[in-house]
Each structure stands twice: as structure tokens, then as C-alpha cells.
């Protein structure tokens, strides 16, 4: 059956501007349905037609862009079926007997089963919300599952329960493989990001060879290599099994360069609940505590009625970049999480306020389960929806964020509520209008209002001097409200109209008055979005805060994320400089960001080029709606700041990232003349070399990987032999070389050095060939084969030499 | 340990407790390599170079020999200069405030450290003009304040008050 394919179709990412596809005419978009399809695509690629796998299209990075052909693992238009199966052919069918015995005995196996652990194998097109739904239901009822095997073989029913991701990012719409391949993380500072949950990856590389990659085989192998070969050998291309810690480290975050991931095995843990708390303060009040791991930011325990205190595991600091308090401070919303036993999570509110218990677990109804997963729509138990090749759940990936009061307004995205509720902005702007009106009438402002937040207590003329211009702006606000109610523009466009009217005046007095109003509105919006609250729910309902009903806000978004060590003073300076930039652009350009700065904390990753390189890493996300003039400038400034060598931030692979090879090597090692074998980028490139014949197979290279240096940079010498030496009276000497395992563009030369030190160079040679020279002088002749590869202005060489006796 | 800098910076010695004679050594720059006095107020207007280093040195024998201090470089942001780095030097490991010498460097890259804007407006109000909020009033669409898109119905009386504002009188009883 032919692989579905579209030619010259537009290709776009989820967060791009609607109506303006990122790639107006993609040469080819393919929709594989199976491992065999992926192998066929990779084996039969035409020269020059490079490939790149795409999942949910959630990436904001140019790393998602293919030079030519996109391989869609989950069609975002839901027209072609996704590669979304849960697989049982390896887990449990190919697990080693020794491993199963250890699993039964609950013996701790380093890097595999430190805690109660289960393993889930799935295709690369499965989305996060789909997987957390399936994990929650568990698979004990499936006779092919690991749980069923443990029950039948060992009588062990410990795996029959409900399972969960140990951590997640803030949204569940990405494919799991897409999220882990780019280093996506959450705010759980006591554990590494999701990529570190990977136990095995099945990657199809350029040329069609496919690789099962696992950690080094120690005392207890996870899989049985013979069973793997029995399962996957015999196709048109070769199947390889690699048990190697460094290769797995490299493959965890490979940005699509190694090939197309067909499937992944991740470890998961028993389902749990999370207690979440949101408190508001200011950035200026908490920034001094960030470097101290024992500060109250990190060690606030949760007191429970019975049992010991529960330690905090999550921290997020979301900052409104638009200042308050006369520009002297910025509101910051602090979110903390604590892990709860699932049975401590309160039940979901009963109908009609809430949802009934789900049909697959009628006796357990923890808060968040009915709201974020819901009933299983495909029956019977082993049936799947053919479009996603998985069971479909009523609420998975379709609902607003879980909220204890059902408002859904707990996202730190500054304008998320505006997207969810058309009346929201109307209410806020109307309220500020009234506040200004009241101020002009009374010369006083109400404590707790947006205007009071924007100003500071102080003597002097202050905002009273701006009263005439505030008055002049009231009609504009009225016009804006009428427009908001009638013209149907997107939230970003409406905000841009508002900003333009308030901040664009050439009269500095009127602009100042407009800035005051703008800040008052921003303060009120933030306050509305981030009301202080505490609640508990099932794990995924707390971690996945995405509003899946939003159709207007989360488009045309600009976003980047910059990683620092938590103790690095450059972190605080980076945020302070961004906030200073916002103030400057408000006054100088009349621009302003419609977005947020968010700091999330996570543990160190094992991935070779993971951004989470420090025991406590901070990810600073800077995001804004691109329709709003000032957001793009703000995010671009954040990128430029992070890339500066004096600041040395690491950019997220999956968000705005135009890093150069030199910038990447400066951060991840393997710069020219570096000799550190433990450099993450060196380990990553060595793995790329292993999977691509040292870059000769460049089918998954892209403009992004070439620009960023995620390529083979070091040529390697293949063979150089004397195929016919001088003999008798025949001084002719023939040499043969083969260096075909090198990237296109590798330059080959051969120097012949005579015994009398005369050099004859031969340049511009092919990667493989033969050459004959006359060794007509007695003594040693030296033939030196040199390879040279230049990328982004950096040249690296390799050479080998032979000595031949002349006559 | 010397401190590495990239690109163009200015330098100023901002503190020196004079426990020892102090000096600064710049290496690897495009045109500013050499030794600079550690006296407070010493300024180097511009030091450029792809990658250059600064070390702070003291002499414990009256200037015959020089020893590199223990240095501590702390980036921060100031309203006046934006991104700066203060390098603290001492003969021991001390808190920055106790350092023997402090040198401020201002980043002169206009792309990543454009000159900050210094607002000339003060968004302030005397403390007595903050009042408690009015009791919360539930609003619905029908009782939301009526806002006229043209503003004509409300503006004329207010506009007459502008003269009063311009004259510096308080905006009351409009």
C-alpha cells in the first residue's frame, strides 16, 4: 500500500500566524503508518531530497523545518491516521528474563527501576495527553501487556494500577517524542526533564537502517538482544541493537538529526496527585532567593493531617514584564507543587457542577480525571480509534485547563483568559476606564485597582500632572471597547490596537498617560489570571495547564526559553535586563510585550546536548503574541541577550533558536582544538557519526542543523593502502584510498614526499580512488592522505601517512 | 582566575581600600592590553576584543612583585548603564562588600545593552490619595457603565477643567 503523500502543500506550525504558512509549498509531506513505511521513506530517499520528522507541529523552532520532505507522525489536520499505537511487541515480549525477575522482586536497578516503575512502549506520533490518559487507565486488562505478563508468570498484580509521567511540561499537545527530543521540561526541580525517562528509542536513520538504542548492558539487561533481532531482522535494511550509555544520552535529545524516531520506551510511575498553590508577590522581592536552594522558594513543606510533611517539588515564577509601582516592581506569581498520594486527592465535584466518574474507573473519581481525560469513547477495551490508532478519551486534549472553580483561569499566560472569554478584555478595559474616570473626578485612586497597582506612593505632581492627557485618552478607550465588541479581531490584534492608541502618541505627555493606562490594564489582567489559590488534583490535570479550546491566542506566538544554572548571577541580570528593555520600549518606541516571563526549575538531564545541564537549572521562558507590536522585539532581544558570550544562556531546541555553530560549541563543547572527550556535543556528534557513516548519509540534515553545527565536523580517514608497490625495475607505485564515510563537502588531497624532500601535492581528489606515482628514487617515500572539512568557517582535518620504499 | 570578557566594555575603578597597592592587567584585547592603575576613579573608556581578560593584582612588597587577587565577577543591571559586571578583588575569599578593590565594567554592545531609558514621568500619588475600594458591585451587561464611542457626552465638561489643571489647581469638583 503506498505511503500517503502530499506534494507542494503548505506546511505550518501551530503557533505561526494563521494564513501565512511557514512553508507555503512544502515539496513533499509524507504520512507513514508503520515502521515499514518509515524504513521505506528513509531507504528510498532521492539524492538531495532531505527529510525531517514532524509530530504535533507545536515547536516554535526552526529545528522543525525540513529542507524538502516532512515525515508526519501525527497529521495535525487529522486527515491521515497517526502513528499513535501503544506497542507490546518489545515490552513485554522482548524483555530479558533476568529483567522480568528483577521487576517481580522489586529489586532496584540503577537507571531503570529506582522506584516502583512501569514501562510503556509507543509510536512516535502519540501525543502527551493521549499517553497520560492511557497511562491513567493502565493496561492490565490487555492480555498482551507487561502487567498481564507479570500476573500470569509471577502472580504479581502490583502492575495492574494506574500510571503517570514523573514530570511534564506545561502542556500536553505535543507528541511525547517531539517533547523529549527537544528537551521539554516542567518545573519539578527535584528530577530531570522528560527526556531522562526514556529507556529505549527505535530510530530509523537515513538509508533505512534502524537502531534499537538502550543504556549499556550491565548486570540486568532490559531487553533480550536475540529476541529483538528475531522481531526486527529480515527487512530490506539492516537492524542494529546498540547498548551504550553515551549513545542513549545523545539520542535522548537529537533534534531530529539522527533520523525519524519510530518508537520510544519510557519509564513511568504509579499515578499520584499534586497539590498546587499560587501566591502573588513581586520579582524584586524573590529574585534574591533564587540562588539559595534552601530559601523559602524551594523548601516550603506541605503539612498534612497525618504523616510527615511533604517536601516541595515544583517551582514556577511567572513575571508580568509590564511594570507596576511606577516602574519599580513587577508582579510575580509563584506556583508550588507537592506530590500527594492519589487517595488524598479530593473527588471531582459531582454533577451537575462537575463531571461523573469516568466509565473505565467508576469507583475512583479524583479531581481532574473526568475533566482532563474523561470517558473512554472506543469500546471494547482493546479497540482503537483508527485516526489516532489509540483509544480516544472524551476530554483528553479538548478541554480548558482544570481549575477547582471551573473558571479555567489559572494559566500564567497573560492573555490566556482573554482568549477563553471574549468578554474578559471588555471587562478589564471597562474597569480601567471607570477607574480613570473616578480618578479624574476625585483625584484619588482605589486601593486594589489596576491604576493603584501601576502607580507608587510619592510626593510631587505625579500622575495628577498627567490628568489632561488621561482625560484625552478616555474617548480612545471607549472607541476601543466598541471595536472590541463589534469587529471580531483576534486578541493579539485587539491588544495591538489598544497599545497603538495608548502608546503611539508623539506627544510625550500623552504617551506617558497612555503608558500609565496600559500598565493599569496589564496589572488588572494579570491579577484576574493569577488569583491566589490552592487545590489538589490528579497529576496530569495539574501539570498540563494548556487550554485546548483556545483558537485565537496561542497562534502567531513568539517564544524562546533560556537556560541558566540557578546559582548563576547572570540569571537575575538577564531577567532584570529584559524588564528594563520593556520599560525602554514603552517610552521610546511606544511598543510593549503582550506576554510573560516564566522561570521554571528542573533537575539535571543526562542528555548529551540537554539544556538542563546543571543540578538545578532554571528555564526562563519569554513569550508574547506577535500581533502585538513589542512582543517580537521583546523575544528577539531575549534571544540576542542569551546568545551573547558574556551571558552564555542556552536556548531551548524547540523554541526560537537561531544559534550558530560557534555559539553551540561555546556552550556544549567540542569547539576546535577542544580535547575533552566528555563534552556533550562531542558525544552527540560521535553518535551521529555512528548512525550516518560519519555524515555520509546526510538525509536528516537541515538548514537548522547545519547552521547550529549539529553535524559531523570532523572528517575521518578511511583506508589508504598500497595496491601495487614498486618492484624490480618497475618504480610505479599505486595507492588506493576509501574515505567515503564522510560528509559531502569533505576535501581530499594526497601529498607525495620524495626521499629528497620534494613534495608533489594532488588536490581535489574524490573520497575514494586510486593513484599511481613513480617512486624512482631510493629511500622512503611518504604518501600523506589529508581530509579537510569546513563548516561555518571552522575547518577540521584528518590525515594518515604511508611509507613506501622507492627504487 | 582572570575574568573573561567578550566585545566592547568600559572600565572604572570604583573602590579601593588601599590595603595593598592595586593594579589591573588587561590581556587579549584589540588595543588596550597592559597595566592600569588601581586608583579609584581610573577609567578606561573602551576595551574591545573578541575575547579578552582582566585580572586584578596587588603588591605586598611595595610594588616589586605583583600577585593576582582572588576575583569575583558579578553581573547586574543598573538603571543608568544597563548590563554591568563588577569585578571584586581581594587577597582572601570575602564577601563583595569587603573586597579590597572593585572595578565596574559597562557593556558597550548597543544590541544587547542599548542605553536604558530614564523615565522623566513619575507615576506617583500622595499617600493620602489612595482610598479603600468601593464595595464590590456586581455588574451585568445592562448595568455596565455606558461608554459613548464618541465621548462627546462626557467630554465637554471635563475639557473645561483642563484649564484648571494647567493652572496647577487640583482636579476636584469637576
Amino acid at each position: 500500500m503506498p505511503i500517503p503523500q502530499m506534494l507542494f502543500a503548505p506546511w505550518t506550525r501551530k503557533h505561526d500566524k494563521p494564513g501565512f504558512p511557514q512553508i507555503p509549498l512544502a515539496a513533499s509531506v509524507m504520512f507513514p503508518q508503520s515502521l515499514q513505511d518509515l524504513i521505506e521513506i528513509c531507504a528510498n530517499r532521492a539524492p538531495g531530497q532531505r527529510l525531517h520528522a514532524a509530530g504535533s507541529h507545536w515547536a516554535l523552532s526552526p529545528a522543525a523545518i525540513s529542507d524538502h520532505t516532512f515525515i508526519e507522525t501525527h497529521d495535525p489536520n487529522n486527515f491521515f491516521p497517526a502513528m499513535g499505537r501503544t506497542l507490546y511487541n518489545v515490552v513485554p515480549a522482548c524483555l530479558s528474563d533476568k529483567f522480568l525477575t528483577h521487576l517481580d522482586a522489586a529489586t532496584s536497578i540503577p537507571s531503570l527501576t529506582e522506584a516502583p516503575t512501569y514501562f510503556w512502549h509507543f509510536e512516535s506520533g502519540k501525543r502527551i495527553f493521549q499517553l497520560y490518559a492511557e497511562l491513567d487507565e493502565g493496561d492490565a486488562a490487555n492480555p498482551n501487556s507487561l502487567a498481564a505478563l507479570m500476573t500470569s508468570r509471577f502472580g504479581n498484580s502490583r502492575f495492574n494500577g494506574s500510571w503517570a509521567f514523573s514530570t511534564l511540561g506545561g502542556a500536553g499537545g505535543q507528541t511525547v517524542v517531539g517533547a523529549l527530543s527537544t528537551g521539554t521540561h516542567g518545573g519539578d526541580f527535584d528530577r530531570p526533564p522528560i527526556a531522562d525517562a526514556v529507556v529505549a528509542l527505535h530510530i530509523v536513520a537515513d538509508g533505512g537502517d534502524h537502531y534499537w538504542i538502550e543504556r549499556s548492558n550491565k548486570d540486568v539487561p532490559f531487553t533480550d538482544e536475540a529476541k529483538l533481532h528475531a522481531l526486527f531482522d529480515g527487512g530490506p535494511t539492516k537492524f542494529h541493537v546498540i547498548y551504550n550509555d553515551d549513545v542513549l544520552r545523545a539520542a535522548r535529545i537529537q533534534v531530529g538529526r539522527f533520523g525519524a524516531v519510530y518508537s520510544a520506551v519510557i519509564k513511568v510511575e504509579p499515578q499520584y496527585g499534586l497539590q498546587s498553590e499560587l501566591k502573588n508577590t513581586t520579582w524584586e522581592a524573590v529574585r534574591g532567593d533564587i540562588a539559595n536552594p534552601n530559601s523559602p522558594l524551594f523548601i516550603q513543606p506541605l503539612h498534612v493531617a497525618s504523616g510527615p510533611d511533604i517536601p516541595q517539588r515544583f517551582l514556577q515564577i511567572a513575571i508580568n514584564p509590564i511594570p507596576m509601582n511606577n516602574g519599580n516592581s513587577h508582579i510575580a506569581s509563584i506556583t508550588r507543587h507537592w506530590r500527594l498520594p492519589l487517595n488524598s486527592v479530593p473527588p471531582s465535584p459531582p454533577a451537575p457542577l462537575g463531571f461523573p466518574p469516568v466509565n473505565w474507573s467508576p469507583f475512583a473519581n479524583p479531581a481532574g480525571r473526568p475533566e482532563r481525560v474523561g470517558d473512554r469513547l472506543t469500546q471494547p477495551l482493546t479497540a482503537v480509534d483508527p485516526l489516532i490508532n489509540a483509544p480516544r478519551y472524551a476530554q483528553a486534549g479538548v478541554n480548558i485547563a482544570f481549575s477547582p472553580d471551573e473558571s479555567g483561569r489559572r494559566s500564567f499566560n497573560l492573555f490566556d483568559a482573554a482568549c477563553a472569554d471574549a468578554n474578559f478584555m471588555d471587562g478589564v478595559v471597562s474597569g480601567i476606564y471607570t477607574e480613570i474616570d473616578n480618578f479624574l473626578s476625585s483625584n484619588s485612586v482605589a486601593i486594589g485597582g489596576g491604576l493603584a497597582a501601576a502607580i507608587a506612593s510619592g510626593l510631587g505632581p505625579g500622575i495628577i500632572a498627567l490628568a489632561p492627557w488621561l482625560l484625552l485618552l478616555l474617548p480612545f478607550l471607549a472607541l476601543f471597547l466598541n471595536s472590541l465588541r463589534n469587529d471580531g479581531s483576534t486578541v493579539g490584534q485587539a491588544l495591538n490596537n489598544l497599545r497603538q492608541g495608548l502608546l503611539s502618541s508623539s506627544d510625550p505627555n500623552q504617551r506617558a498617560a497612555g503608558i500609565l493606562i496600559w500598565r493599569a490594564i496589564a496589572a488588572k489582567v494579570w491579577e484576574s489570571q493569577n488569583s491566589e489559590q490552592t487545590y489538589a488534583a490528579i497529576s496530569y490535570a495539574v501539570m498540563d495547564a494548556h487550554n485546548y479550546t483556545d483558537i485565537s491566542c496561542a497562534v502567531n506566538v513568539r517564544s524562546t526559553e533560556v537556560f541558566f544554572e540557578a546559582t548563576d548571577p547572570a540569571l537575575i541580570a538577564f531577567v532584570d535586563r529584559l524588564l528594563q528593555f520593556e520599560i525602554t520600549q514603552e517610552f521610546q518606541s511606544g511598543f510593549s510585550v503582550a506576554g510573560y516571563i516564566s522561570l521554571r526549575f528542573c533537575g539535571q538531564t543526562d542528555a548529551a546536548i540537554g539544556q538542563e545541564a546543571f543540578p538545578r537549572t532554571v528555564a526562563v521562558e519569554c513569550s508574547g503574541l506577535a500581533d502585538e507590536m513589542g512582543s517580537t522585539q521583546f523575544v528577539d532581544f531575549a534571544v540576542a541577550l542569551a546568545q551573547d558570550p558574556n551571558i552564555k544562556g542556552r536556548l531551548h531546541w524547540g523554541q526560537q533558536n537561531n544559534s550558530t555553530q560557534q555559539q553551540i560549541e561555546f556552550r556544549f563543547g567540542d569547539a576546535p582544538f577542544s580535547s575533552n572527550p566528555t563534552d556533550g556535543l562531542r558525544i552527540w556528534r560521535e553518535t551521529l557519526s555512528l548512525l550516518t557513516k560519519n555524515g555520509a548519509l546526510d538525509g536528516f540534515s537541515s538548514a537548522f542543523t547545519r547552521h547550529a553545527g549539529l553535524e559531523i565536523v570532523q572528517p575521518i580517514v578511511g583506508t589508504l593502502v598500497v595496491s601495487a608497490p614498486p618492484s624490480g625495475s618497475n618504480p610505479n607505485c599505486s595507492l588506493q584510498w576509501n574515505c567515503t564515510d564522510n560528509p559531502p563537502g569533505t576535501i581530499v588531497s594526497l601529498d607525495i614526499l620524495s626521499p629528497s624532500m620534494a613534495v608533489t601535492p594532488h588536490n581535489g581528489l574524490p573520497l575514494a580512488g586510486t593513484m599511481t606515482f613513480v617512486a624512482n628514487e631510493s629511500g622512503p617515500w611518504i604518501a600523506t592522505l589529508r581530509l579537510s572539512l569546513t563548516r561555518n568557517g571552522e575547518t577540521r582535518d584528518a590525515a594518515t601517512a604511508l611509507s613506501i620504499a622507492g627504487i | 582566575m582572570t575574568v573573561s570578557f567578550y566585545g566592547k566594555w568600559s572600565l572604572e575603578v570604583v573602590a579601593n581600600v588601599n590595603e595593598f597597592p592595586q593594579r589591573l592587567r588587561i590581556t587579549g584585547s584589540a588595543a588596550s592590553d597592559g597595566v592600569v592603575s588601581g586608583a579609584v576613579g581610573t577609567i578606561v573608556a573602551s576595551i574591545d576584543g573578541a575575547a579578552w581578560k582582566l585580572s586584578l593584582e596587588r603588591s605586598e612588597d611595595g610594588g616589586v612583585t605583583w600577585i593576582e587577587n582572588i576575583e569575583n565577577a558579578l553581573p547586574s543591571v543598573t538603571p543608568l548603564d544597563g548590563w554591568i559586571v563588577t569585578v571584586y578583588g581581594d587577597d582572601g575569599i570575602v564577601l563583595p562588600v569587603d573586597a579590597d578593590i572593585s572595578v565596574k565594567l559597562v557593556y558597550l554592545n548597543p544590541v544587547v545593552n542599548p542605553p536604558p531609558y530614564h523615565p522623566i514621568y513619575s507615576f506617583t500619588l500622595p499617600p493620602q490619595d489612595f482610598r479603600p475600594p468601593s464595595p464590590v458591585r456586581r455588574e451585568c451587561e445592562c448595568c455596565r457603565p455606558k461608554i459613548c464611542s464618541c465621548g462627546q457626552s462626557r467630554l465637554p465638561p471635563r475639557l473645561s477643567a483642563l484649564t484648571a489643571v494647567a493652572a496647577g489647581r487640583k482636579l476636584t469638583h469637576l
Side-chain angles (χ1 to χ4, degrees):
Chain A
M1 189 173 162
I3 301 167
Q5 182 178 16
M6 293 170 66
L7 299 176
F8 304 109
W11 191 94
T12 193
R13 299 170 299 188
K14 174 178 169 58
H15 302 288
D16 290 331
K17 187 169 187 171
F20 297 87
Q22 180 74 20
I23 311 289
L25 290 175
S28 171
V29 184
M30 306 193 78
F31 302 88
Q33 306 294 302
S34 63
L35 172 62
Q36 288 66 36
D37 283 358
L38 275 183
I39 291 171
E40 185 181 327
I41 291 169
C42 295
N44 300 328
R45 172 182 75 85
Q49 297 187 356
R50 292 200 178 97
L51 313 167
H52 190 83
S56 60
H57 292 215
W58 274 49
L60 292 132
S61 164
I65 307 299
S66 175
D67 282 3
H68 185 275
T69 298
F70 291 90
I71 303 172
E72 300 283 356
T73 61
H74 191 128
D75 176 13
N77 299 312
N78 295 316
F79 186 72
F80 298 104
M83 288 205 307
R85 299 172 189 87
T86 289
L87 303 169
Y88 297 100
N89 55 355
V90 174
V91 179
C94 293
L95 297 183
S96 75
D97 290 338
K98 196 169 183 180
F99 173 77
L100 291 171
T101 304
H102 274 73
L103 191 63
D104 172 54
T107 312
S108 175
I109 306 170
S111 81
L112 268 183
T113 61
E114 297 88 346
T117 308
Y118 196 59
F119 300 88
W120 208 273
H121 185 202
F122 53 93
E123 290 183 328
S124 55
K126 191 183 287 292
R127 289 178 186 252
I128 289 172
F129 60 70
Q130 177 65 33
L131 184 49
Y132 70 58
E134 291 182 40
L135 288 171
D136 194 24
E137 182 174 1
D139 63 358
N142 186 324
N144 298 317
S145 69
L146 175 60
L149 177 73
M150 297 306 287
T151 302
S152 64
R153 183 180 296 187
F154 301 100
N156 187 340
S157 59
R158 191 157 44 88
F159 303 96
N160 291 359
S162 171
W163 301 96
F165 285 102
S166 62
T167 186
L168 276 181
Q174 311 98 312
T175 62
V176 181
V177 166
L180 64 88
S181 296
T182 53
T184 295
H185 61 91
D188 296 310
F189 55 77
D190 64 342
R191 63 199 60 211
I194 187 172
D196 289 57
V198 171
V199 173
L201 285 166
H202 192 174
I203 297 177
V204 184
D206 185 24
D209 278 14
H210 50 125
Y211 297 82
W212 183 269
I213 298 169
E214 274 183 34
R215 78 200 221 289
S216 299
N217 247 340
K218 301 186 173 72
D219 292 343
V220 184
F222 180 61
T223 52
D224 182 322
E225 186 173 359
K227 290 180 183 174
L228 287 173
H229 277 292
L231 178 64
F232 292 117
D233 279 354
T237 57
K238 193 170 179 189
F239 172 65
H240 310 256
V241 178
I242 300 176
Y243 295 116
N244 185 298
D245 286 340
D246 281 346
V247 173
L248 180 61
R249 285 184 60 203
R252 286 187 199 284
I253 296 178
Q254 51 102 4
V255 203
R257 179 64 185 88
F258 290 178
V261 175
Y262 167 63
S263 68
V265 179
I266 63 167
K267 54 185 177 182
V268 294
E269 58 183 85
Q271 185 59 273
Y272 55 95
L274 287 170
Q275 172 102 355
S276 177
E277 174 198 86
L278 189 149
K279 297 279 187 191
N280 285 319
T281 177
T282 65
W283 162 247
E284 288 73 14
V286 298
R287 63 183 170 189
D289 287 339
I290 288 174
N292 178 7
N294 296 314
S295 76
L297 277 176
F298 299 100
I299 60 164
Q300 184 174 306
L302 178 66
H303 305 296
V304 290
S306 60
D309 287 351
I310 298 173
Q312 182 185 339
R313 63 174 248 171
F314 175 101
L315 177 66
Q316 173 182 283
I317 303 172
I319 308 160
N320 183 354
I322 299 172
M324 49 189 256
N325 188 25
N326 189 27
N328 294 317
S329 61
H330 298 79
I331 192 165
S333 299
I334 311 292
T335 303
R336 296 179 171 89
H337 292 169
W338 298 264
R339 183 191 172 106
L340 295 175
L342 188 60
N343 59 15
S344 297
V345 174
S348 183
L353 284 176
F355 290 67
V358 298
N359 60 359
W360 47 270
S361 181
F363 305 109
N365 198 36
R369 175 178 280 170
E371 293 85 352
R372 277 310 232 182
V373 169
D375 287 346
R376 183 189 231 272
L377 299 180
T378 43
Q379 301 292 347
L381 189 67
T382 51
V384 296
D385 182 316
L387 198 54
I388 56 173
N389 276 308
R392 192 177 286 280
Y393 295 87
Q395 305 298 335
V398 299
N399 216 335
I400 61 171
F402 174 77
S403 176
D405 62 3
E406 291 306 307
S407 68
R409 288 182 190 163
R410 64 174 189 79
S411 164
F412 58 86
N413 186 342
L414 184 53
F415 294 105
D416 206 23
C419 306
D421 179 359
N423 293 321
F424 176 76
M425 281 305 297
D426 190 317
V428 169
V429 177
S430 297
I432 296 299
Y433 181 102
T434 304
E435 284 189 38
I436 295 166
D437 205 28
N438 289 340
F439 165 69
L440 294 175
S441 305
S442 67
N443 269 4
S444 65
V445 301
I447 297 166
L451 209 47
I455 64 178
S457 173
L459 302 175
I463 65 167
I464 291 174
L466 290 174
W469 292 276
L470 289 169
L471 185 56
L472 286 173
L473 284 167
L474 279 180
F476 163 72
L477 285 182
L479 280 169
F480 170 78
L481 284 165
N482 267 355
S483 158
L484 189 69
R485 290 164 187 170
N486 298 319
D487 75 358
S489 54
T490 68
V491 170
Q493 290 162 342
L495 286 168
N496 195 45
N497 293 340
L498 180 61
R499 175 206 56 78
Q500 200 164 19
L502 292 174
L503 273 59
S504 296
S505 172
S506 57
D507 176 349
N509 294 307
Q510 186 163 336
R511 179 177 292 182
I515 289 170
L516 176 63
I517 296 172
W518 177 253
R519 290 179 178 180
I521 290 170
K524 208 62 191 171
V525 169
W526 189 275
E527 177 193 279
S528 306
Q529 291 272 100
N530 293 284
S531 52
E532 296 194 349
Q533 62 176 349
T534 299
Y535 71 97
I538 198 165
S539 62
Y540 51 78
V542 175
M543 291 191 283
D544 178 0
H546 185 69
N547 173 11
Y548 294 97
T549 65
D550 165 33
I551 54 169
S552 69
C553 247
V555 292
N556 206 14
V557 169
R558 293 294 290 267
S559 186
T560 194
E561 198 163 15
V562 187
F563 295 73
F564 294 93
E565 187 167 15
T567 55
D568 184 350
L571 160 70
I572 306 300
F574 176 78
V575 176
D576 284 345
R577 193 64 188 81
L578 284 175
L579 297 173
Q580 191 177 54
F581 176 86
E582 167 62 18
I583 291 174
T584 299
Q585 75 166 350
E586 286 176 9
F587 280 98
Q588 283 192 331
S589 315
F591 296 168
S592 181
V593 59
Y596 59 85
I597 300 171
S598 161
L599 281 68
R600 286 182 293 165
F601 298 75
C602 58
Q604 187 167 13
T605 183
D606 177 55
I609 58 166
Q611 311 92 321
E612 301 89 348
F614 315 104
R616 181 157 296 176
T617 300
V618 184
V620 185
E621 186 173 41
C622 311
S623 189
L625 302 177
D627 280 331
E628 163 70 20
M629 189 68 84
S631 295
T632 298
Q633 289 79 356
F634 183 81
V635 175
D636 287 349
F637 180 71
V639 170
L641 202 56
Q643 289 176 325
D644 190 277
N646 294 289
I647 296 153
K648 210 178 178 182
R650 294 170 173 232
L651 293 174
H652 195 301
W653 295 111
Q655 297 205 33
Q656 188 170 322
N657 184 341
N658 60 352
S659 297
T660 64
Q661 177 172 332
Q662 286 72 27
Q663 288 167 336
I664 294 298
E665 289 170 348
F666 188 63
R667 287 154 177 80
F668 294 95
D670 203 30
F673 313 113
S674 164
S675 57
N676 186 353
T678 63
D679 280 352
L681 186 57
R682 171 170 294 199
I683 290 168
W684 191 93
R685 283 171 170 165
E686 285 171 354
T687 300
L688 179 63
S689 173
L690 180 71
L691 303 186
T692 63
K693 298 184 187 297
N694 198 47
L697 299 170
D698 68 341
F700 283 91
S701 173
S702 69
F704 174 82
T705 61
R706 291 189 293 279
H707 184 69
L710 298 182
E711 294 287 345
I712 297 300
V713 295
Q714 177 64 54
I716 53 174
V717 175
T719 57
L720 172 65
V721 295
V722 179
S723 53
S727 65
S729 60
N730 182 5
N732 286 347
C733 175
S734 293
L735 300 174
Q736 185 174 19
W737 68 94
N738 186 341
C739 299
T740 51
D741 282 1
N742 278 296
T746 304
I747 295 171
V748 181
S749 61
L750 188 61
D751 293 345
I752 306 297
L753 178 67
S754 72
S756 57
M757 307 304 284
V759 178
T760 308
H762 301 272
N763 298 320
L765 301 176
L767 286 168
T770 59
M771 197 194 70
T772 300
F773 70 97
V774 182
N776 56 358
E777 186 180 334
S778 63
W781 290 68
I782 306 295
T784 304
L785 182 70
R786 300 182 195 281
L787 281 78
S788 170
L789 179 61
T790 300
R791 288 198 185 276
N792 296 307
E794 286 181 15
T795 300
R796 304 195 195 198
D797 304 302
T800 189
L802 281 176
S803 178
I804 304 125
I807 54 177
Chain B
M1 281 292 286
T2 55
V3 183
S4 295
F5 290 89
Y6 305 87
K8 189 174 179 181
W9 295 73
S10 68
L11 176 156
E12 179 183 4
V13 179
V14 292
N16 185 340
V17 300
N18 294 315
E19 183 179 351
F20 302 105
Q22 300 279 352
R23 70 182 193 183
L24 289 57
R25 180 181 295 277
I26 298 165
T27 54
S29 71
S32 306
D33 282 8
V35 169
V36 176
S37 163
V40 170
T42 301
I43 290 174
V44 182
S46 170
I47 309 166
D48 206 350
W52 56 273
K53 295 179 185 300
L54 172 70
S55 55
L56 310 184
E57 299 175 344
R58 70 181 182 279
S59 176
E60 297 179 358
D61 55 11
V64 179
T65 60
W66 292 86
I67 310 162
E68 187 174 352
N69 284 305
I70 296 170
E71 290 132 347
N72 184 13
L74 291 179
S76 60
V77 172
T78 68
L80 193 63
D81 296 314
W83 190 280
I84 70 163
V85 172
T86 308
V87 182
Y88 301 93
D90 199 277
D91 54 318
I93 298 173
V94 296
L95 292 172
V97 292
D98 298 325
D100 287 344
I101 182 169
S102 304
V103 180
K104 183 181 91 170
L105 294 102
V106 178
Y107 198 19
L108 301 179
N109 180 334
V111 176
V112 296
N113 195 33
Y117 179 78
H118 311 294
I120 54 173
Y121 298 93
S122 180
F123 295 159
T124 55
L125 201 61
Q128 66 273 17
D129 290 336
F130 288 84
R131 58 179 164 77
S134 307
V136 176
R137 188 181 58 186
R138 291 276 176 203
E139 287 183 355
C140 59
E141 187 63 33
C142 58
C143 60
R144 192 175 282 175
K146 296 293 184 293
I147 297 166
C148 171
S149 61
C150 66
Q152 292 302 308
S153 62
R154 311 190 76 162
L155 283 178
R158 298 290 160 78
L159 284 171
S160 64
L162 298 184
T163 329
V165 174
R169 297 201 296 274
K170 286 197 77 176
L171 259 174
T172 52
H173 310 298
L174 292 177

